[in-house]
Amino acid sequence: MEKLKIAGGYPLKGTVRISGAKNSAVALIPATILADSPVTIDGLPDISDVQILKALLEEIGGKVEFANNEMTVDPSSMISMPLPNGKVKKLRASYYLMGAMLGRFKKAVIGLPGGCYLGPRPIDQHIKGFEALGAKVTNEQGAIYLRADELKGARIYLDVVSVGATINIMLAAVRAKGRTIIENAAKEPEIIDVATLLTNMGAKIKGAGTDVIRIDGVDHLHGCRHTIIPDRIEAGTYLILGAAVGDGILIDNVIPNHLESLIAKLREMGVEIESGDDQVFVAPAQKLKAVDIKTLVYPGFPTDLQQPFTSLLTKAEGTSVVTDTIYSARFKHIDELRRMNANIKVEGRSAIVNGPVRLQGAKVKASDLRAGAALVIAGLMAEGITEITGIEHIDRGYSHLVEKLNGLGATVWREDLSQEEKEQMENA
Ligand code: EPU
């Protein structure tokens, strides 16, 4: 087990290249199960979630090669092996194995997913979708059992706009008989990316990226090659970093349209940003103005950037209100930011940030992935040394973080935890 140490308070400058999107990768990899010949995905990020999914595909008999960010999955000898425990509990996105295995084998046993705790994260809309397609779904001792004689297309209205449910239903429906219509679907770019892969595999999908998706089921899907989209949340994290401590940062390999809500908010704060075709430049920011943000489904302000953005707001002049309408408990970073001298209080689903303050280095703990990103940004802003434990959360979603930050001139390094720290982490 390691911790991250940051010597903060220095301006960063240069170019950072964004990796492939985590939240696409974790759906694209299970989607390969649906093919009958090898699928290659390139541009995958080097993150632990990708490694875990690779191991899960191997557990069910897939032959997987992964090198230089390119993964080839030969799914031809996969079997519907139950995956009730173990690695499935390590990440939230293991729920995509349900849709993909149900689509291919008409049965699956998958342990309830793990992932970051951000408040209750039910999967009732996924299950509603599978049942509408004709599956019998039961929950037995912490695992979801799915079985169908055949899957039949259906009209499914999502009661909650859900990225996971939209993708999961799409994965099963591409192999159902007849037409499926998903209404009130989520519109995130990752959904379009998964639909593009499935279409290249031979699926018939229309409307991905809008709130009505039509899928005509097909009898089989074949192998293909697919390039993943860049990670808009990783890019957003570096944009925020650029506004917080940048002396001119160029973010390369991005789709600027995916970041419109963040760029608009940064401009409102007084940050100068120039967008190109696949690059965004953040100019050194002088005085920052307080702004309010409210997280919403895409294309609104992403909940995944709420925590990193809060670190930046500590530097802004005035009072900012951050409201998370997607998750009820995505505020675990606030106590840690307070340790670093931030003036923030949480009231219900909002955090009220008073600034500007000069953050001070401290020993803090990342409770989840984006809380970790918030603390990294805070550590780079702070005077002195910050030590972050719980970095396994950060490793789930940020590829080559230390190398990328040091490439911008930061002083960030990993160190082994002391025996005492290990015991504290184990007892927490
Ligand atoms: N919801 C339900 N029922 C469901 C599904 C969702 O009530 O069946 C609720 C959730 O509790 C939440 C809201 O609907 O309040 C949105 O959840 P959604 O299903 O869209 O989230 P998710 O698919 O579980 C993905 C990302 C998250 C990101 C959200 C929102 C993956 C693996 N995860 O989660 O990413 O926050 O969409 O954009 O794609 C992260 O990257 O740090 C992360 C948490």
Side-chain angles (χ1 to χ4, degrees):
M1 269 189 179
E2 288 177 318
K3 62 186 168 190
L4 202 62
K5 285 181 96 169
I6 301 175
Y10 303 104
L12 306 189
K13 193 182 174 94
T15 301
V16 60
R17 190 173 165 80
I18 299 306
S19 301
K22 163 191 167 272
N23 287 345
S24 266
V26 296
L28 296 172
I29 296 168
T32 63
I33 294 173
L34 289 157
D36 58 11
S37 51
V39 178
T40 299
I41 306 168
D42 69 63
L44 286 170
D46 288 315
I47 53 174
S48 58
D49 275 13
V50 165
Q51 294 295 349
I52 296 169
L53 283 167
K54 172 180 180 280
L56 283 164
L57 293 193
E58 286 168 341
E59 247 178 76
I60 62 169
K63 295 191 186 76
V64 189
E65 283 167 25
F66 184 38
N68 301 324
N69 305 96
E70 184 172 299
M71 185 181 287
T72 298
V73 181
D74 180 353
S76 51
S77 47
M78 284 180 181
I79 51 165
S80 181
M81 175 93 142
L83 296 169
N85 286 306
K87 295 184 193 74
V88 289
K89 300 207 187 276
K90 289 200 171 159
L91 77 164
R92 175 105 187 129
S94 50
Y95 54 37
Y96 291 133
L97 296 166
M98 295 180 197
M101 287 173 82
L102 184 63
R104 170 147 173 207
F105 303 113
K106 312 292 173 268
K107 62 177 182 179
V109 177
I110 310 289
L112 276 168
C116 299
Y117 182 78
L118 313 172
R121 297 179 77 182
I123 55 165
D124 56 306
Q125 299 303 307
H126 305 231
I127 290 169
K128 171 180 165 173
F130 297 143
E131 286 176 338
L133 295 173
K136 189 168 180 293
V137 186
T138 52
N139 179 346
E140 292 169 34
Q141 292 166 343
I144 302 289
Y145 285 65
L146 305 110
R147 175 176 287 278
D149 293 332
E150 67 168 0
L151 294 175
K152 276 196 194 150
R155 183 180 279 269
I156 301 157
Y157 178 88
L158 296 181
D159 302 314
V160 182
V161 181
S162 157
V163 177
T166 303
I167 293 179
N168 230 344
I169 295 168
M170 221 161 57
L171 291 173
V174 288
R175 290 293 311 277
K177 291 213 171 353
R179 174 168 284 196
T180 297
I181 300 177
I182 310 174
E183 293 174 318
N184 202 28
K187 296 185 279 199
E188 270 68 1
E190 293 76 19
I191 293 163
I192 304 178
D193 203 23
V194 177
T196 306
L197 170 71
L198 292 170
T199 304
N200 290 340
M201 284 161 65
K204 295 195 171 126
I205 305 174
K206 284 196 181 129
T210 75
D211 54 12
V212 181
I213 303 179
R214 291 181 178 78
I215 301 154
D216 287 310
V218 294
D219 286 338
H220 77 101
L221 294 165
H222 49 76
C224 67
R225 189 180 179 89
H226 179 79
T227 301
I228 194 171
I229 56 169
D231 194 314
R232 64 193 168 95
I233 305 301
E234 188 198 14
T237 305
Y238 284 101
L239 257 163
I240 294 168
L241 186 84
V245 291
D247 188 22
I249 292 189
L250 182 69
I251 295 147
D252 186 31
N253 189 36
V254 285
I255 300 176
N257 270 354
H258 291 172
L259 289 158
E260 264 176 8
S261 56
L262 172 66
I263 291 175
K265 274 294 161 190
L266 288 172
R267 287 191 173 134
E268 202 180 313
M269 291 180 79
V271 183
E272 274 179 45
I273 293 175
E274 284 166 38
S275 285
D277 290 339
D278 61 355
Q279 293 185 326
V280 178
F281 178 74
V282 194
Q286 305 303 323
K287 227 175 179 187
L288 298 174
K289 287 194 285 266
V291 293
D292 295 342
I293 60 162
K294 189 181 265 189
T295 67
L296 293 167
V297 294
Y298 188 81
F301 194 96
T303 170
D304 296 341
L305 290 175
Q306 174 265 106
Q307 293 159 295
F309 201 83
T310 303
S311 298
L312 171 67
L313 289 175
T314 62
K315 203 180 165 182
E317 195 157 329
T319 301
S320 305
V321 181
V322 176
T323 306
D324 200 318
T325 73
I326 310 290
Y327 295 114
S328 59
R330 209 170 196 177
F331 286 121
K332 294 230 179 79
H333 56 305
I334 301 293
D335 277 345
E336 305 305 297
L337 289 177
R338 277 211 208 102
R339 282 183 215 284
M340 299 177 72
N341 197 36
N343 179 352
I344 311 179
K345 63 179 175 190
V346 176
E347 281 182 10
R349 295 185 84 137
S350 297
I352 297 149
V353 189
N354 285 303
V357 294
R358 185 74 214 259
L359 296 178
Q360 302 296 325
K363 290 189 177 184
V364 289
K365 187 174 160 194
S367 54
D368 57 82
L369 169 58
R370 309 299 171 188
L375 297 175
V376 169
I377 292 174
L380 290 163
M381 292 165 74
E383 225 163 51
I385 304 282
T386 294
E387 284 190 28
I388 308 176
T389 52
I391 60 169
E392 58 285 357
H393 293 292
I394 306 179
D395 292 337
R396 288 191 39 227
Y398 288 91
S399 200
H400 299 293
L401 178 75
V402 170
E403 293 86 337
K404 288 185 186 186
L405 292 174
N406 289 343
L408 293 170
T411 306
V412 179
W413 68 102
R414 286 170 182 265
E415 258 178 32
D416 284 334
L417 291 188
S418 65
Q419 191 54 37
E420 192 188 336
E421 285 167 330
K422 269 189 209 156
E423 282 162 18
Q424 274 170 7
M425 295 293 287
E426 276 153 18
N427 297 332

